[in-house]
Amino acid sequence: MTDQHDVTQKSIRIKIRGLTKAFGKKVVLNGLDLDVHEGESLVVIGGSGTGKSVLLKCVLGLLKPDSGSIQINGQEIVGLNGNTMENVRRKFGMLFQYAALFDSLTIWENVAFGLMQAHGMPKDEAYKIAIEKLSQVGLGERFATKNPAELSSGMKKRVGLARAIATSPDTLFFDEPTTGLDPVMGDVIDRLIVQSVQELGATGLTITHDMDSAKRISDRIAMLYDGKIAWVGPTADIETTDNPYVHQFINGLLEGPIKISLTNSDRAAV
Amino acid sequence: MPFLQPLGHLILSFFEIVGRLSIFASKAVSHCFRPPFYPRLILKQMIEVGYYSLPVVGLTAIFTGMVLALQSYTGFARFSAESAIPNVVIVSITRELGPVLAGLMVAGRVGAAMAAEIGTMRVTEQIDALYTLATNPFKYLIAPRVIAGVLTLPVLVLVADTIGVFGGYLVSIHKLGFNPATYLKNTIDFMEYLDVVSGLVKAAAFGFIITLMGCYHGFNSKGGAQGVGSATTNAVVSASILILTFNYIITELFFSR
C-alpha cells in the first residue's frame, strides 16, 4: 500500500491520547496512545476481549470514553454530540463485522443510504452512484433490488464495503472484515479494501485478529494488549520484531507474556 | 437488617428505570418536533399501526359490543331496565372499552413488533450503522413510530367505537328484540361529546405509550436473540400496565367531580 517511509512524514489523521474506558470494574482501555497518519492503513491486532472493538467504537463516537482525547483532523471528538458529531461522521465510512445492512431496505438503498440521508442527494443520482459502487466491489446491477437476506455472507460484506465507500469518505474503518468468510472470500474482501482505500486516498483503521488479513491490508500494525498499545510498527517488521507479545500472538503460542485463563471465571465479556 | 439491602436495590433500580425512560421519552418527543422529518416513514408506520391493526381491533370491538349488550340485558331485565342497554353500550364502549381494548390489542401486535424490529437492529449493529452514516436513530427510527402511534390510535379507536356499538346493536335487534329505530335514537340521544373526546385523548396517550415502550425496550436490548425476546415481552407487559394505569388517570381527570 502506501510507501512505508512516507507514512510517518504525513500529518496525523487520528490522534488518540490517554484513552481509558472501563465497564464496571473491568478496565478495557487503560491510557491508550495511538496515531493514524493521513493516507495510511493501520491495523490494530489483539486477542478476543482485549478492547479492539471498544477502541473502534470510541473513535466512531459510539462509546464515550471515561477519559483521554481523540482528535480527528485536529478536532477533538470526545464529548461531541448531535449535529457536530454527525458532521464529523459524514467523512467516515465503516464496514461492520457482519456488514450490518438494513433488513428493511434493498441493496441499492443500503448503499445509497448515506448519500440520500446524510448528504441529501436526490434518489436518481444516488441510485447511479450506488450501482457504480456495487460494480466496484464486483456486484452487478441485478443485485440492486434484492434484499440483504438473499445474499451470502461474502456478498453482504461487499455490499457493506460499497456502502462504506459510497460517500467517498476520507477515513475508513473496518471491524474484523474477514470474520466468518472462507479464506478465498477473505482474500477477495481484503483486496477490495486495499483497492477502495487507495482509490479514495483515504486513511484506514482496521481491527482484526486475522494475521493474514492484517498483513494484506496494512501499512502499519499496532498490537493491543492489556488496554494499551504493546507494539506498533511497519507491517514488514512484525515477523522480525523481538517484542514478546507480538511474537506470542502471531505464532499462536500458549507460553509467553500474554496470559490466557483456561477458565472463564476471571474473564469478563467485552 | 439484611432484608433492607434487596429492598434498597429494588427501589434504586426502579428509579434508575424511571430515569432512563424519562430521558428516552424526552429525547423521542423533542426529535418529533425537530427536522429532518421523514414523512414517508411516518406514513409507513401509520399503515403498520392503523391499517394492519384494523382486523384484530374490529373483531375485538364487535364481540365486546355484542357481549356487553347480552350481559347488560341479563342484569337489567331483573329490574325491568332493558331500555338502558343502548346507553350502557355507548358509554362503556366510547369511554372505556374502545380505547382500552384497542390499546391492549395494538400493544400486543405493534408494540411487540417494534421492540423485535428495533431490538434486532440493535444486536446486529444496524443502529450503530445508522450513527456512522450520520443519521440519528431517534429521528429515523423512534420519532416516526411515536408520531404514527399518537396520530393513528385515535382513528383506530373511533373505528373500534363504531364497530363496538354496532355489535351491541346487532345483538339487541336480532336476539333481544329491540326496535332498530328506538335503539339508534337512544344511542344517539345518550352519546355525549365528552365521552368520545375522552376516549380519543386516551387513544392518543395509549399510542404514545405503546410506541414508546416498543422503541425503548428494542433500543436498549442486549445479548442476541434472548435479549430481543426479553425486549419484546417487556414492551408488551410494560405497555399494557401503563395503558391500564393511564386509563385510570385520564378517566379521573375527565370525569371526577
Side-chain angles (χ1 to χ4, degrees), chain A residues 15 20 23 40 64 68 75 94 96 109 114 120 122 141 143-145 158 164 182-183 197 232 241 247 253-255 262:
Chain A
K15 184 177 182 179
T20 304
F23 296 93
E40 78 163 326
K64 194 179 169 192
Q75 183 184 8
M94 167 76 187
F96 285 86
E109 286 169 332
E141 194 171 355
F143 290 96
T145 52
R158 290 184 193 217
D182 64 74
V197 172
V232 61
T241 178
H247 179 72
L253 304 173
L254 202 55
E255 299 299 320
L262 296 177

Side-chain angles (χ1 to χ4, degrees), chain A residues 4-77:
Chain A
Q4 304 288 343
H5 302 291
D6 286 349
V7 165
T8 48
Q9 304 299 315
K10 291 185 176 175
S11 59
I12 297 170
R13 173 68 57 82
I14 302 170
K15 184 177 182 179
I16 302 169
R17 290 291 179 270
L19 193 67
T20 304
K21 178 72 187 172
F23 296 93
K25 287 179 183 173
K26 169 83 177 168
V27 180
V28 180
L29 301 177
N30 188 14
L32 182 144
D33 297 332
L34 185 66
D35 291 334
V36 186
H37 298 93
E38 197 154 340
E40 78 163 326
S41 174
L42 180 94
V43 173
V44 178
I45 57 169
S48 301
T50 50
K52 301 188 299 295
S53 294
V54 173
L55 168 64
L56 196 61
K57 284 184 176 179
C58 286
V59 176
L60 287 163
L62 299 174
L63 278 178
K64 194 179 169 192
D66 297 332
S67 64
S69 156
I70 302 171
Q71 290 182 11
I72 313 263
N73 288 328
Q75 183 184 8
E76 180 62 50
I77 65 151

Side-chain angles (χ1 to χ4, degrees), chain B residues 14-141:
Chain B
F14 172 75
F15 281 113
E16 188 188 340
I17 292 167
V18 171
R20 281 178 192 276
L21 187 59
S22 304
I23 292 167
F24 187 89
S26 64
K27 277 171 87 174
V29 171
S30 75
H31 283 290
C32 288
F33 296 101
R34 282 188 287 159
F37 301 108
Y38 295 95
R40 243 182 228 183
L41 291 178
I42 295 171
L43 190 66
K44 188 184 165 196
Q45 290 302 325
M46 286 176 84
I47 292 167
E48 194 62 47
V49 176
Y51 182 73
Y52 290 123
S53 298
L54 271 176
V56 69
V57 169
L59 277 172
T60 311
I62 198 161
F63 285 116
T64 304
M66 288 163 78
V67 166
L68 194 61
L70 213 53
Q71 291 285 29
S72 304
Y73 183 81
T74 313
F76 288 3
R78 292 179 200 165
F79 311 103
S80 302
E82 296 93 332
S83 60
I85 289 174
N87 313 349
V88 170
V89 170
I90 186 78
V91 171
S92 308
I93 293 282
T94 53
R95 280 191 183 189
E96 297 296 332
L97 295 173
V100 171
L101 289 177
L104 292 175
M105 296 314 285
V106 174
R109 209 190 77 78
V110 176
M114 281 182 185
E117 187 182 354
I118 296 177
T120 306
M121 289 185 77
R122 166 61 78 193
V123 299
T124 57
E125 296 186 307
Q126 290 178 53
I127 289 179
D128 286 346
L130 277 176
Y131 279 117
T132 61
L133 289 161
T135 303
N136 190 328
F138 272 87
K139 286 193 195 303
Y140 188 78
L141 293 176

